[in-house]
Amino acid sequence: MGITRVAIAGSTGSIGTQTLDFVAQSEGQFEVVGLGVGSSVDEVIAQAKLWKPKVVAVANEDARKRVAEALPEVQVVAEQTALAEVADVVVNAVVGFAGLSVTMSTLQQGKRLALANKESLIAAGPVVQPLRKIPGAHIVPVDSEHCAIHQCLRSSGNEHREVQRLLLTASGGPFRGRTKESLAHVTVEEALKHPTWSMGPKITVDSSTLMNKGLEVIEAHELFGTGFDQIDVVVHPQSVVHSMVEFTDGAVIAQLSMPDMRLPIAYALSYPQRASVPFGAIDWSTLARLDFEAPDTQTFVCLNLAYEAGRIGGTAPAWLSAANEVAVEAFLSGKITWSRIPEVIDATLQQHDGLVPTIVEDILHADALARRFALQVLAA
Ligand code: NAD
Ligand code: MG
């Protein structure tokens, strides 16, 4: 096997840096050929000096000029789409809808997409799906739940038939067990204290509202073609069982490992082989218990909103995800309380125009429209 050329869009974030950590531990199996960021100048310059990629993509214009000055020997570009041109596999670790161009360009160029950026697939499912038929194009999920399901389906030797349901596990986030009333005045700091995972701020807030799990239900539907009635969420606070597949005879196959995102990252980069570094190995002598409970959808209504949008389909998931991005940003910058997040999303979804997307412009339009409505709701 030759060296796999890897490009990482969002290389300075939580997933991006963990990807580089895995590559560093993989002794010459991978070559980092591309790095991409939004505006993290110093971080990406330091990464580029260490990894010597061919291409560095920087979305922000001012940041791009500074990066280009510091790296005269590297091709510094604006578009993350350049990453797929030089790589065998692209890790999409961009946060939010901004990751759409990475998802589309990687598949369009017939490359493997190691997908952490769930928002692109959720918002643009109808236009991303046809791209998966392009020869060589292939999604391997990095989101731990979907990576787990990918592994369960693969191990069953029967990838799509006889599946009864997918069981996505959720840690429950920092507010598990709390009532709606007690959550009225939680702070940003409290929402950012995730019990089992250390992640970027957006997904950490999404985990506190259970919107992350809602988005993952839609992500599972898109990735595996499973109907919404056959995707269930189970709260599992230890984050050791990463998800499960139940078959028609009642048998369940689960994937277990300690919570460490480097395992799903390594899985997606090494696929179809398995990585030789055991990031998530369990010490069974200290693993005392595994608990499971039903999600509290009275308190965490975002999960219901996501199922609703997923069932409507078309551009509704794009609206859901865009409204959520606006609401989470407003919460993080102190403009709204935590309990306003689902209200903003719900009010925005009420305005959904029912557009059925056929081309990417329809998705871009839906995203922009939903953001405009969400901002209006915020201002009202
Ligand atoms: P993060 O905030 O830590 O990092 C985001 C990265 O995206 C940074 O490198 C930033 O420079 C880059 N970026 C931002 N805007 C950009 C733009 N317009 N163009 C190009 N790059 C841009 O985020 P994260 O926690 O690493 O999450 C990344 C994605 O992975 C999200 O979609 C998240 O839902 C998903 N994910 C993350 C985890 C985790 O453990 N962090 C787990 C599962 C899924
Ligand atoms: Mg996940």
Side-chain angles (χ1 to χ4, degrees):
M1 265 246 330
I3 292 179
T4 305
R5 296 171 305 163
V6 180
I8 308 160
S11 63
T12 55
S14 159
I15 293 290
T17 52
Q18 293 184 84
T19 303
L20 288 170
D21 186 46
F22 164 65
V23 170
Q25 295 189 50
S26 303
E27 287 163 19
Q29 288 178 48
F30 302 96
E31 182 192 352
V32 177
V33 292
L35 300 170
V37 298
S39 56
S40 329
V41 175
D42 297 340
E43 293 93 325
V44 82
I45 291 171
Q47 287 182 341
K49 287 191 170 155
L50 186 64
W51 292 98
K52 305 192 174 22
K54 293 189 175 72
V55 177
V56 172
V58 184
N60 178 280
E61 197 179 336
D62 290 338
R64 185 162 60 249
K65 282 187 193 137
R66 289 168 56 200
V67 172
E69 272 166 30
L71 302 171
E73 69 288 3
V74 180
Q75 192 191 341
V76 179
V77 299
E79 299 301 333
Q80 307 285 316
T81 53
L83 298 175
E85 287 166 23
V86 291
D88 303 307
V89 47
V90 177
V91 179
N92 189 351
V94 175
V95 60
F97 186 72
L100 179 61
S101 70
V102 177
T103 290
M104 293 197 61
S105 63
T106 303
L107 297 174
Q108 273 160 344
Q109 292 177 61
K111 302 288 175 72
R112 189 199 313 162
L113 173 65
L115 184 67
N117 177 273
K118 62 194 91 185
E119 294 94 339
S120 57
L121 183 63
I122 290 155
V127 302
V128 170
Q129 289 301 358
L131 305 179
R132 296 172 79 182
K133 297 201 181 78
I134 293 171
H138 184 198
I139 304 178
V140 184
V142 169
D143 212 351
S144 56
E145 297 75 4
H146 306 78
C147 179
I149 289 172
H150 196 270
Q151 295 178 59
C152 296
L153 291 174
R154 188 182 171 194
S155 68
S156 80
N158 194 345
E159 295 213 354
H160 292 292
R161 288 172 30 229
E162 299 171 353
V163 170
Q164 184 62 39
R165 52 181 182 144
L166 307 182
L167 293 148
L168 291 177
T169 49
S171 70
F175 303 140
R176 183 176 63 89
R178 300 269 295 261
T179 60
K180 215 171 200 166
E181 297 68 42
S182 82
L183 290 168
H185 301 291
V186 293
T187 63
V188 170
E189 205 192 355
E190 287 172 294
L192 288 179
K193 258 193 219 126
H194 197 279
T196 50
W197 297 102
S198 162
M199 311 179 285
K202 194 257 176 183
I203 182 174
T204 307
V205 174
D206 285 349
S207 300
S208 79
T209 60
L210 282 202
M211 179 54 95
N212 182 50
K213 212 48 54 181
L215 295 175
E216 291 183 354
V217 167
I218 304 175
E219 182 185 9
H221 167 79
E222 292 294 342
L223 282 171
F224 306 111
T226 314
F228 286 97
D229 293 341
Q230 289 171 292
I231 306 174
D232 285 340
V233 171
V234 183
V235 173
H236 164 50
Q238 290 89 0
S239 301
V240 168
V241 175
H242 294 292
S243 276
M244 315 178 248
V245 176
E246 184 185 289
F247 293 88
T248 47
D249 59 357
V252 173
I253 295 184
Q255 186 260 316
L256 283 72
S257 49
M258 296 313 288
D260 188 331
M261 282 309 293
R262 292 173 303 178
L263 188 153
I265 292 166
Y267 178 85
L269 289 189
S270 311
Y271 188 84
Q273 268 83 41
R274 282 208 180 248
S276 46
V277 198
F279 288 114
I282 296 170
D283 176 358
W284 293 92
S285 64
T286 58
L287 184 75
R289 52 190 285 182
L290 298 173
D291 297 302
F292 300 94
E293 64 195 40
D296 172 4
T297 50
Q298 298 279 318
T299 306
F300 302 98
V301 289
C302 282
L303 187 55
N304 302 336
L305 293 173
Y307 267 103
E308 264 173 51
R311 287 195 164 98
I312 294 167
T315 48
W319 278 62
L320 172 90
S321 186
N324 180 55
E325 275 190 46
V326 171
V328 169
E329 219 165 277
F331 170 66
L332 282 171
S333 58
K335 294 195 187 92
I336 60 170
T337 62
W338 182 86
S339 24
R340 280 280 284 154
I341 296 173
E343 292 171 10
V344 171
I345 300 164
D346 195 8
T348 305
L349 279 175
Q350 303 294 331
Q351 310 286 329
H352 178 232
D353 59 2
L355 177 76
V356 177
T358 52
I359 52 175
V360 69
E361 284 72 20
D362 295 336
I363 302 292
L364 298 173
H365 171 75
D367 176 77
L369 200 57
R371 277 171 204 268
R372 203 182 316 144
F373 278 120
L375 287 169
Q376 276 171 19
V377 175
L378 284 180

